[in-house]
Amino acid sequence: MTRAFTGDFVFSSSCFVRCNRAPIISPILFLCIVSYLGACAGGGGGSSASGGVLVDTGQNIGVYAPPPITGPIYGDGDSNADDYLGTKSPGHVASTSHYETSEYYDGGYSGAPLAISQFSSAYARGWTGTGSVITIADTGVDSDHVDLAANIGYSRDFSGTGIEDNHGHGTHVAGIAAAVRDGVGVHGAAFDATLAIGKVTNTSAYSFTAARDVATWGRDLGSVAVNVSAAYGRDTALENQLVEIGTGSYYLDHAVYGTNGFYNARSAAVDWRAALGDNQLLIKAAGNSGTAYSAGYNQLATASDDAGNLILDGKMLVVGNWDAGNQRITGNQAGNVCVTYVNGACSDAASISDFFIMATGTDIYAPYRNGTYAYLSGTSMAAPLVAGGIAVLHQMWPHMTGKNLAQLILQTANKDIPDYAVHVHGQGLLDIDSASAPVGATGLPLTGRTDGGVSAVTGGISGAGISNAAMADLASVMVLDDYERDFYVDLSGAVGIYDTRRASLAETAGLYNSYQPYFGDDRHLDYQHQINRNLRLKVGAGLSDGHYFGNSFSGSFGTLRHSVTGYGMLEYQRKIGRWTLSGQLARGVTKLEIDRENSLLVGAGLVQSSSLAGIASTDLSGGVFGLSVQQPVHIDRAPFRYRLPVGRTLSGGVVTADQTLDFGAEQREIDYGLFFKNG
């Protein structure tokens, strides 16, 4: 029987105890013997001393299952590069509680609109609207208001009455979208965005023609959204001619407006398409009439050309009012009125509900005229909250078109509301937390384009020791979601460190071939040559499936099929008095066979390894007593070449960094042991 102490002395009787790098001195020898007696007295149970770890060095420990990958990290790949995306707001704090102040919660009497739509999640991720322009087509603005003045970047009067707001509605709307976060009053949804104020009226008599001119002006300023908190008054004569063709779906039985929409919406959509441009969104209040449908100029969203294409190409959102206090929608609902009904069928490419989203708009507290604040209610108050949300998302991903931003905010809307029905509530309630998180499955872009397909993040790396430098290179790798938006994950979380040793000197009570335990029994060849009485040379080669010296990697990191190792080993033995001194020095080179498909791996170089061992033993009391020191097989160098996606460009290109990651162990492990072998 062999009784072994190894390392920092974990011990067994089949028991052995170990810790690394412990000097052999008499106090530790004493503790070791005490540990031995205590461990073996119980009939073979294991115990540990000095925090040692029980291992079974005679068995293959198997494949390590790495922990889940951490992330995503919501951030920019390289904010110092002008063409990379997602530059965070300066000085942002990565904590939602930091932003959940009285300004954040005081925006509503019966429910805080910012909290209901979870804006603090986006703020904590670094997105507050910085760099985004929101155009407000309304009654002007109180340009000196303490909560607005700093964010008004542009203003223009389209009414001939001066930019100042004599009504209050425009100031209120602008404040909901982008009032300043300054510890005073309330702040807006995108409190770091820039406001472009276009005044279209001095009273409640709104001009949609002037609003379209404001949209053209905003387009040229680079605006991401133009907010129109207005609606045509009800035309009861037309509405009386509506025919219901299904739940929440109607058409207009009228020779002209039945094929061109209310107020010639189909013709107007062509002019609005030009005014919006390629990237600007029209954010339109649904109206407060309380109808089961949203008609009038809301039909701009669904107006289609003769080829069946949406004229505005999806660059419009219709916003309903969610009354948070009563948990219901007020004002116009998401029912559809067909724009073009011909030959007994609706030829529109979509329904109003496809572009309908709700936001909190009842009893909303925001800046008002003459430096004051006021509570107002209606879809007029809900719409600018959505406009602010668009500005926040635009800061995160400036490459996204207005159409994509609209689809993103619709797809991520919250449908977990009482009695949800698509023809009533549209796509649901604005949810900025979900909209600023990945949508769908994220994946690694493996081509040079963001639209070139992605591969899921899978697998991991496991081994005896990975350098800190290699871990750092894996700390921020770009993944894309279904909208080609870039997020960043810490792939170092997929690296697992574990003990790869298969044997120990103290357990075997003598020198052994340190390479052989890693090979299959029938996959190892060796040759021995006795150089002289004390010195022997061993050379050999072996094959390992799925690992090299217990180290493995798979999935996104490449998949290791097998490894072939060649090694050379010198062994020395000499007797000095009662003591026999034995030593071993070995070096090896390993070639890896790797599957690189759907992975980040470009290639791998030769793995270099080494080991050394020394034993001093003597006959004692009918057995052999010995002391050992060993460096197990150490990975000196294991170069792997990875092409890591680290960012993307405005044109949709993937920015990669070629990194050679050395998976060699950073520190050498030295194990000390002592043993006694009977007979």
Side-chain angles (χ1 to χ4, degrees), residues 527-547:
Y527 168 78
Q528 301 184 28
H529 174 68
Q530 195 73 34
I531 298 174
N532 57 40
R533 179 181 176 183
N534 303 114
L535 190 62
R536 178 169 55 185
L537 171 66
K538 291 182 178 180
V539 293
L543 177 69
S544 303
D545 288 326
H547 72 92

Side-chain angles (χ1 to χ4, degrees), residues 88-169:
K88 296 180 183 178
S89 298
H92 90 281
V93 177
S95 168
T96 55
S97 61
H98 173 79
Y99 295 95
E100 293 169 353
T101 63
S102 59
E103 276 187 285
Y104 181 83
Y105 283 110
D106 286 350
Y109 180 78
S110 56
L114 296 177
I116 290 168
S117 289
Q118 302 188 80
F119 273 84
S120 62
S121 294
Y123 301 157
R125 292 165 183 159
W127 319 116
T128 60
T130 301
S132 299
V133 177
I134 305 172
T135 300
I136 306 294
D138 216 288
T139 64
V141 70
D142 180 355
S143 60
D144 295 327
H145 200 292
V146 65
D147 255 356
L148 286 171
N151 281 351
I152 299 173
Y154 311 94
S155 61
R156 184 173 174 183
D157 176 29
F158 291 79
S159 68
T161 60
I163 196 65
E164 291 302 317
D165 184 9
N166 298 313
H167 186 279
H169 188 273

Side-chain angles (χ1 to χ4, degrees), residues 236-515:
T236 54
L238 287 179
E239 291 184 33
N240 287 336
Q241 298 179 54
L242 287 175
V243 178
E244 188 169 7
I245 52 177
T247 302
S249 183
Y250 308 83
Y251 77 91
L252 181 60
D253 187 14
H254 190 278
V256 176
Y257 300 127
T259 58
N260 201 36
F262 280 64
Y263 314 109
N264 293 312
R266 188 169 184 240
S267 300
V270 176
D271 296 329
W272 273 94
R273 178 179 60 190
L276 292 173
D278 293 333
N279 297 315
Q280 187 176 214
L281 276 174
L282 172 58
I283 311 298
K284 169 77 169 59
N288 302 320
S289 300
T291 57
Y293 47 81
S294 289
Y297 257 25
N298 298 316
Q299 292 180 302
L300 293 172
T302 58
S304 305
D305 60 22
D306 293 339
N309 300 311
L310 291 170
I311 296 173
L312 292 189
D313 193 29
K315 294 191 289 290
M316 179 175 173
L317 293 172
V318 179
V319 185
N321 174 18
W322 178 250
D323 182 344
N326 294 302
Q327 290 287 286
R328 62 184 177 87
I329 186 173
T330 63
N332 296 348
Q333 298 177 4
N336 184 66
V337 175
C338 182
V339 179
T340 305
Y341 192 84
V342 293
N343 299 324
C346 184
S347 62
D348 299 350
S351 299
I352 287 292
S353 60
D354 296 326
F355 300 102
F356 192 99
I357 189 170
M358 299 182 300
T360 311
T362 299
D363 295 325
I364 305 303
Y365 187 66
Y368 199 58
R369 63 186 178 185
N370 300 324
T372 63
Y373 296 83
Y375 286 98
L376 297 179
S377 298
T379 58
S380 284
M381 284 61 253
L385 196 70
V386 173
I390 291 293
V392 167
L393 297 174
H394 174 262
Q395 179 195 355
M396 299 176 73
W397 296 284
H399 70 282
M400 290 185 71
T401 64
K403 176 181 179 179
N404 282 341
L405 285 171
Q407 286 303 310
L408 170 63
I409 214 165
L410 289 164
Q411 183 177 344
T412 56
N414 176 18
K415 295 178 174 61
D416 186 17
I417 54 178
D419 302 319
Y420 169 76
V422 67
H423 67 280
V424 175
H425 306 103
Q427 300 306 304
L429 182 62
L430 178 68
D431 186 343
I432 296 300
D433 178 28
S434 295
S436 59
V439 174
T442 58
L444 297 161
L446 300 179
T447 69
R449 299 287 305 171
T450 59
D451 56 2
V454 297
S455 176
V457 181
T458 61
I461 301 169
S462 59
I466 310 296
S467 71
N468 290 332
M471 299 278 273
D473 286 332
L474 294 171
S476 183
V477 178
M478 183 182 76
V479 294
L480 300 174
D481 74 350
D482 285 354
Y483 283 88
E484 297 178 21
R485 297 183 299 165
D486 49 326
F487 294 87
Y488 297 84
V489 295
D490 183 358
L491 292 186
S492 65
V495 177
I497 309 301
Y498 79 114
D499 190 347
T500 60
R501 291 175 299 174
R502 303 288 170 87
S504 73
L505 289 180
E507 185 187 20
T508 58
L511 293 180
Y512 69 96
N513 186 328
S514 56
Y515 280 85

Side-chain angles (χ1 to χ4, degrees), residues 135-215:
T135 300
I136 306 294
D138 216 288
T139 64
V141 70
D142 180 355
S143 60
D144 295 327
H145 200 292
V146 65
D147 255 356
L148 286 171
N151 281 351
I152 299 173
Y154 311 94
S155 61
R156 184 173 174 183
D157 176 29
F158 291 79
S159 68
T161 60
I163 196 65
E164 291 302 317
D165 184 9
N166 298 313
H167 186 279
H169 188 273
T171 300
H172 202 268
V173 167
I176 294 170
V180 180
R181 184 175 185 266
D182 57 0
V184 177
V186 294
H187 68 71
F191 56 78
D192 281 330
T194 298
L195 287 166
I197 306 296
K199 185 174 181 179
V200 299
T201 181
N202 203 38
T203 66
S204 58
Y206 197 84
S207 169
F208 279 97
T209 300
R212 193 179 64 224
D213 292 340
V214 171

